Amino acid sequence: MSASVIWEVDANRNVRENIVDNARVSDGWILFELPADVQSGNALIAAKDANGTILWSWHIWVVDYDPLTEYHNYGGVKVMDRVLGASMSEPDYADLENTWELTAGTLYQWGRKDPLIYDLLTNTSVYRFSSVEESIRNPLTFAQGDYYWTEPFDNTMWSSNSKTKYDPCPAGWRVAYADVFNALGYIQTYDPYGVIYNANGEQVWFGYGDYIHSQGAYYVNNSSSFIWTSDIWDVYNGRSISFSGGYNLNSNYYTDAYAVRCMKDE
């Protein structure tokens, strides 16, 4: 077995080397190092078999952020103050045009563990994976499809009740379920790049960010912010929340790729 870095991006999600260094296998562990001049960003490290086939991969989120002290309180539930993979919780409001993207993170098809960054994808034309295992072997592929990104589809890969092995949030955290966001109060303000809510007296930023439609179309800063929740809507759709001058619960194909916010798993 071997280990290697599949991709690395900086805080603006531009390709950059040396976000992590020296990925390797040692005594059954996957190890890596951070360089001396550590920079915020994201990376994907994979374990591979002797033939180079990916067995599993791990998202490495390199950020100067302690979620145990920097979180929002949504009605007694601790929720990270930023989407998974983002380097900032909110932009520099005096320079929105140049800093909003720092609040955008990695994207996820509902139930899938692997982070997606559109510009890194090598294939967006596959029609459904034949299995979850095939998706794990191909973390740079976005699988299209009405309703599902794999067939058969298991809508327990994420859960509103507990953390699953496919949950992309860090240890001790899990994808927030929809009812958590009921604690969001009124819209304090909104602008071309996002909306600000007042949640229990705290300012909460939801940037419009980006997302990938089920048929592979890519949208950036499209006057709406979508995030997945861990809830299902029905057999065909997961439950998402959109923020576009309002707060809306939506049913969307499991195939769509949106950002996620993580809640404390306690």
Side-chain angles (χ1 to χ4, degrees), residues 8-20 34-35 37-43 60-65 82 85-88 102:
E8 300 172 276
V9 295
D10 63 17
N12 286 301
R13 299 184 299 178
N14 297 316
V15 173
R16 175 192 168 96
E17 295 182 351
N18 304 121
I19 296 296
V20 296
L34 296 179
D37 59 339
V38 60
Q39 301 289 322
S40 294
N42 293 273
I60 309 301
W61 184 16
V62 183
V63 62
D64 184 14
Y65 169 53
R82 65 200 69 194
S87 65
M88 293 174 59
L102 297 172

Side-chain angles (χ1 to χ4, degrees), residues 128 146-148 153 155 228 232-238 251-255:
R128 291 182 183 159
D146 294 336
Y147 311 128
Y148 315 125
F153 187 78
N155 65 9
W228 274 127
I232 65 171
W233 187 281
D234 56 27
V235 295
Y236 303 112
N237 300 278
S251 62
N252 295 90
Y253 291 168
Y254 293 112
T255 318

Side-chain angles (χ1 to χ4, degrees), residues 134-189:
E134 185 185 6
S135 77
I136 292 170
R137 292 193 295 269
N138 294 278
L140 291 173
T141 296
F142 174 88
Q144 297 183 21
D146 294 336
Y147 311 128
Y148 315 125
W149 49 266
T150 185
E151 194 170 17
F153 187 78
D154 178 3
N155 65 9
T156 67
M157 286 184 287
W158 291 356
S159 171
S160 59
N161 297 315
S162 60
K163 186 176 178 70
T164 69
K165 71 176 182 180
Y166 299 112
D167 188 304
C169 292
W173 299 81
R174 59 189 176 99
V175 177
Y177 53 84
D179 284 351
V180 167
F181 297 93
N182 289 336
L184 288 175
Y186 58 88
I187 296 177
Q188 190 166 311
T189 185

Side-chain angles (χ1 to χ4, degrees), residues 18-217:
N18 304 121
I19 296 296
V20 296
D21 286 334
N22 196 21
R24 62 198 185 278
V25 178
S26 178
D27 294 328
W29 291 85
I30 305 295
L31 304 179
F32 67 92
E33 299 166 6
L34 296 179
D37 59 339
V38 60
Q39 301 289 322
S40 294
N42 293 273
L44 192 72
I45 293 176
K48 299 179 179 180
D49 66 15
N51 296 316
T53 300
I54 292 176
L55 303 172
W56 194 264
S57 59
W58 293 266
H59 173 203
I60 309 301
W61 184 16
V62 183
V63 62
D64 184 14
Y65 169 53
D66 181 0
L68 295 177
T69 59
E70 300 174 67
Y71 60 84
H72 291 301
N73 186 332
Y74 289 17
V77 178
K78 297 174 183 176
V79 180
M80 288 189 183
D81 68 2
R82 65 200 69 194
V83 297
L84 183 55
S87 65
M88 293 174 59
S89 61
E90 56 186 0
D92 177 352
Y93 295 108
D95 190 20
L96 278 168
E97 183 176 355
N98 294 310
T99 61
W100 71 267
E101 192 167 6
L102 297 172
T103 69
T106 43
L107 303 177
Y108 299 86
Q109 296 183 281
W110 194 100
R112 195 173 175 189
K113 74 175 188 66
D114 295 307
L116 303 175
I117 293 178
Y118 185 80
D119 289 343
L120 300 181
L121 296 176
T122 57
N123 195 336
T124 59
S125 61
V126 168
Y127 184 78
R128 291 182 183 159
F129 292 115
S130 61
S131 64
V132 175
E133 290 71 26
E134 185 185 6
S135 77
I136 292 170
R137 292 193 295 269
N138 294 278
L140 291 173
T141 296
F142 174 88
Q144 297 183 21
D146 294 336
Y147 311 128
Y148 315 125
W149 49 266
T150 185
E151 194 170 17
F153 187 78
D154 178 3
N155 65 9
T156 67
M157 286 184 287
W158 291 356
S159 171
S160 59
N161 297 315
S162 60
K163 186 176 178 70
T164 69
K165 71 176 182 180
Y166 299 112
D167 188 304
C169 292
W173 299 81
R174 59 189 176 99
V175 177
Y177 53 84
D179 284 351
V180 167
F181 297 93
N182 289 336
L184 288 175
Y186 58 88
I187 296 177
Q188 190 166 311
T189 185
Y190 61 94
D191 55 55
Y193 298 95
V195 295
I196 299 171
Y197 281 83
N198 185 297
N200 298 322
E202 296 181 280
Q203 180 173 292
V204 183
W205 164 266
F206 287 91
Y208 290 149
D210 58 343
Y211 63 92
I212 308 172
H213 185 265
S214 60
Q215 301 304 316

Side-chain angles (χ1 to χ4, degrees), residues 232-265:
I232 65 171
W233 187 281
D234 56 27
V235 295
Y236 303 112
N237 300 278
R239 179 169 291 184
S240 72
I241 296 177
S242 61
F243 307 91
S244 55
Y247 163 86
N248 303 287
L249 285 173
N250 310 288
S251 62
N252 295 90
Y253 291 168
Y254 293 112
T255 318
D256 293 344
Y258 300 140
V260 303
R261 287 222 180 194
C262 303
M263 59 176 280
K264 193 74 174 73
D265 186 22

